[in-house]
Amino acid sequence: MTATKQSGSAAPSDEIRFILDGEVISLRGIDPNTTVLNYLRETLRRTGTKEGCAEGDCGACTVVVGELDGDRVRFRAINSCIQFVPTLDGKQLFTVESLRAPDGSLHPVQEAMVECHGSQCGFCTPGFVMSLFAMYKSEPEPDRARINDILAGNLCRCTGYRPILDAAERMYRLASNGNGGGADRPYAASDAAQPSAAERAMTERLRAIQRTGRLALTGPDLSGGQRTYYAPTTVADLADLVETHPDAHILAGGTDIGLWVTKSHMDLDAIIYLGNVEELKVLEVDDSHIEIGAAVTITDAHELIGEHFPDMGEMYRRFASPPIRNAATIGGNVANGSPIGDSMPGLIALGASLVLRRGAKTRELPLDEFYLAYQKTALEAGEFLERVRLPLAPADRHFRTYKITKRFDQDISAVCGAYSFRLEENRLRDVRICYGGMAAIPQRASQCETALEGKPWNDSTLAAGMEALDRDYAPIEDMRASVEYRRLVTRNLLRKLFLETSGWPGETRVLEHPNRQGQGART
Ligand SMILES: Cc1cc2nc3c(=O)[nH]c(=O)nc-3n(C[C@H](O)[C@H](O)[C@H](O)COP(=O)(O)OP(=O)(O)OC[C@H]3O[C@@H](n4cnc5c(N)ncnc54)[C@H](O)[C@@H]3O)c2cc1C
Ligand code: FES
Ligand code: FES
């Protein structure tokens, strides 16, 4: 592998270019399976970034990535332990070492952590600092609940979280007092109206390293063989690559795939990365649908989907953690086909469909026909998921989705249920129910749907529906839940739906979680 520092001139297509501390790093011949964390620690010897779990759970490895977003730079925290180095191409990387000012003074985030005693053994501290740095750069005045959400992916075993939360509030006051937060500071807090001179300079540097053509890397594997990594910039080129290399792994956010390397020690000999294809980042709403490109991140989809379907918004707020959501895509969640993936029950209940593409041809398939068996989908060789089409619900549609986990934040579902129906003179119509965690695939509860369809929404229909659920599923026992628990929860979620939507005194919310935000009880 060769690495050089250069100013941003045009580069050959086998060269990764990203910015670190203001300088363009240019890399060739790196193993495409190298994680950003390993590159930082083992090659650059930047050991501030720590490894705790190597699976996206603990946040010790959090770094921040700056990406062009029109005329501005968007700063987002990600987990470096499960991101591959080539995905940094065209971006700016910030590590905890980046924050110190040229005169050696601390950044307000670091200073606040010191003042508030936010660190003891210090192992988690760089990760917290970087999550807070991303927040400092993107959100002017978050309240305590929002700070809690932002830090959901950072675990600390020493301090307790209160001093860290105090630091999160304190850093804004330090900045406004002029302690290192002024406009001349390289990484001052973002001002939505006026980018600082430093941010304008950063934008120009990022522009200089954007590429129009395909990145095609070859790098050595551990046994002297070769690995390839392609990053096309157009959907047509992506389609061509996927068709020509049907065995290559399609890489989106890497929050599933990264673990295949760090935990399952798989060798990914050929990768096609779709994160540089702008056409796959479309997120639009028209009169009838929300169109979601496969490469739209959960973070980006969250707000628009949540606006139309508040329960989906709440579910996405509890999907993993902000650094995972900043990388993970809707397309990756759907295509991965995990029976406990959180998007699918809601999307299936709402009647979403998928646009699949092979070469220049596309076909549309209802999402509930996409999953064939455990981790087996209807995707054919050379085909990929281009976008998800989510129909807008009629005004009288009731929709709920409930996620059941052991922890409130940053936990994968034991069971996730989603329900959609209309009431016509108190009779249930167009009932669609789907559960995750109850079968080898996200699966509709067809017997329960039949038991409810056309019936009055009352106690006896509820009882029939609960009984039908037992026939719909034969759940498994695993570390998340026993068979009995899954059966009971599934029934009880239907009861919760009934209590919330059966009309007395209008819609309501049952058992509000104290941490639930933005959508209080509906009456
Ligand atoms: C700590 C942690 C917490 C998590 N918590 C949750 C959670 O709460 N809820 C949840 O649902 N998931 C969770 N996940 C799983 C994961 O984040 C999601 O499944 C995520 O949406 C995957 O998207 P990705 O872009 O990272 O996919 P990748 O890892 O890049 O890819 C996943 C799979 O999809 C395929 N793929 C990706 N895009 C396409 C495409 N366009 N066409 C065809 N195939 C494609 C890939 O080839 C691969 O097989 C968690 C993961 C971690 C590490
Ligand atoms: S090392 Fe734990 S999230 Fe990366
Ligand atoms: S300070 Fe020790 S783990 Fe957080």
Side-chain angles (χ1 to χ4, degrees):
M1 173 184 61
T2 56
T4 51
K5 293 181 178 181
Q6 59 158 46
S7 57
S9 60
S13 62
D14 65 343
E15 188 180 43
I16 306 163
R17 291 178 306 165
F18 64 94
I19 300 174
L20 181 62
D21 296 348
E23 288 183 283
V24 177
I25 304 286
S26 172
L27 278 180
R28 278 206 182 87
I30 189 169
D31 173 357
N33 290 190
T34 310
T35 63
V36 173
L37 178 67
N38 284 345
Y39 174 71
L40 285 172
R41 291 184 60 84
E42 291 168 15
T43 305
L44 298 186
R45 300 286 170 195
R46 283 190 172 228
T47 51
T49 308
K50 304 294 186 232
E51 179 176 67
C53 63
E55 60 181 44
D57 266 319
C58 75
C61 67
T62 308
V63 295
V64 171
V65 162
E67 277 181 85
L68 273 183
D69 182 12
D71 290 340
R72 303 298 299 261
V73 181
R74 198 176 58 186
F75 296 83
R76 284 195 171 161
I78 58 161
N79 301 104
S80 64
C81 64
I82 50 173
Q83 276 297 311
F84 300 130
V85 171
T87 64
L88 292 177
D89 186 58
K91 299 172 186 161
Q92 176 147 355
L93 176 65
F94 300 89
T95 70
V96 71
E97 291 89 350
S98 310
L99 301 198
R100 194 173 47 183
D103 66 2
S105 61
L106 295 180
H107 188 278
V109 180
Q110 296 167 307
E111 211 173 320
M113 284 288 274
V114 173
E115 282 188 14
C116 298
H117 306 285
S119 178
Q120 284 186 29
C121 83
F123 202 81
C124 69
T125 308
F128 272 101
V129 165
M130 295 314 287
S131 283
L132 292 177
F133 171 64
M135 180 178 85
Y136 177 85
K137 294 295 297 169
S138 352
E139 302 196 24
E141 286 178 44
D143 61 17
R144 200 83 165 187
R146 175 68 185 148
I147 297 170
N148 270 324
D149 270 356
I150 296 272
L151 294 179
N154 293 88
L155 305 182
C156 175
R157 65 190 172 177
C158 302
T159 61
Y161 294 93
R162 192 195 45 77
I164 299 173
L165 295 171
D166 291 346
E169 290 171 338
R170 173 97 185 116
M171 68 185 187
Y172 289 99
R173 292 200 291 279
L174 287 175
S176 61
N177 288 344
N179 290 16
D184 296 339
R185 175 106 193 176
Y187 313 128
S190 282
D191 174 335
Q194 295 170 343
S196 66
E199 193 183 338
R200 282 198 299 275
M202 206 181 291
T203 308
E204 287 314 311
R205 280 190 166 280
L206 279 169
R207 282 218 179 94
I209 60 165
Q210 299 309 300
R211 70 178 67 246
T212 47
R214 172 198 291 186
L215 171 68
L217 291 177
T218 307
D221 66 15
L222 296 175
S223 52
Q226 291 285 317
R227 290 185 177 142
T228 52
Y229 175 99
Y230 300 103
T233 54
T234 64
V235 74
D237 194 25
L238 170 68
D240 185 38
L241 279 166
V242 175
E243 205 173 10
T244 334
H245 305 276
D247 294 331
H249 295 284
I250 297 176
L251 173 69
T255 61
D256 286 311
I257 290 188
L259 278 70
W260 302 354
V261 172
T262 61
K263 292 288 151 176
S264 306
H265 305 290
M266 275 173 66
D267 295 319
L268 307 183
D269 289 332
I271 292 176
I272 300 171
Y273 176 58
L274 45 73
N276 292 349
V277 180
E278 285 303 316
E279 293 141 289
L280 293 188
K281 295 184 185 168
V282 65
L283 181 61
E284 287 170 359
V285 59
D286 62 22
D287 290 346
S288 61
H289 283 82
I290 305 179
E291 300 276 342
I292 311 157
V296 171
T297 63
I298 305 286
T299 298
D300 287 337
H302 179 166
E303 195 175 329
L304 183 66
I305 296 181
E307 204 176 288
H308 290 270
F309 304 103
D311 265 41
M312 288 294 276
E314 175 63 8
M315 186 276 294
Y316 282 135
R317 184 171 79 84
R318 293 183 50 208
F319 184 112
S321 62
I324 295 285
R325 296 198 293 270
N326 288 340
T329 62
I330 296 276
N333 201 220
V334 167
N336 190 46
S338 163
I340 46 172
D342 283 329
S343 300
M344 288 76 98
L347 293 178
I348 288 175
L350 287 166
S353 60
L354 305 180
V355 177
L356 309 176
R357 175 163 175 163
R358 181 180 176 175
K361 285 202 184 120
T362 58
R363 62 179 173 128
E364 192 164 338
L365 189 71
L367 177 54
D368 58 356
E369 293 174 23
F370 183 64
Y371 302 108
L372 305 180
Y374 181 64
Q375 299 209 324
K376 185 166 167 29
T377 69
L379 267 182
E380 290 168 4
E383 199 175 39
F384 64 96
L385 170 59
E386 190 176 88
R387 60 184 196 278
V388 177
R389 306 194 72 223
L390 177 56
L392 295 175
D396 60 348
R397 170 76 58 98
H398 295 263
F399 171 74
R400 291 287 191 277
T401 180
Y402 308 125
K403 169 170 172 162
I404 302 296
T405 53
K406 286 187 177 173
R407 293 176 75 224
F408 183 78
D409 289 312
Q410 168 76 317
D411 201 0
I412 291 179
S413 295
V415 174
C416 180
Y419 318 81
S420 156
F421 63 90
R422 292 185 306 106
L423 281 177
E424 262 178 30
E425 295 173 0
N426 200 37
R427 286 190 180 268
L428 291 143
R429 304 283 178 204
D430 305 329
V431 181
R432 290 176 71 99
I433 298 176
C434 182
Y435 282 91
M438 291 300 290
I441 57 173
Q443 187 175 294
R444 280 175 74 175
S446 50
Q447 307 219 31
C448 180
E449 288 177 2
T450 307
L452 268 52
E453 186 67 44
K455 308 286 185 330
W457 202 198
N458 59 23
D459 283 322
S460 64
T461 304
L462 171 66
M466 288 168 82
E467 201 182 303
L469 281 174
D470 286 346
R471 297 194 300 277
D472 271 315
Y473 299 110
I476 57 156
E477 174 142 355
D478 64 12
M479 62 193 236
R480 293 198 172 80
S482 64
V483 171
E484 296 72 33
Y485 178 85
R486 285 196 154 101
R487 283 197 180 285
L488 185 62
V489 159
T490 306
R491 284 167 147 257
N492 284 348
L493 290 181
L494 193 67
R495 179 182 293 282
K496 175 172 167 159
L497 175 79
F498 173 72
L499 293 174
E500 289 191 351
T501 59
S502 58
W504 46 268
E507 286 206 358
T508 186
R509 284 279 176 188
V510 175
L511 295 178
E512 286 291 314
H513 190 284
N515 207 10
R516 192 175 184 115
Q517 269 190 334
Q519 38 170 325
R522 296 179 200 167
T523 53

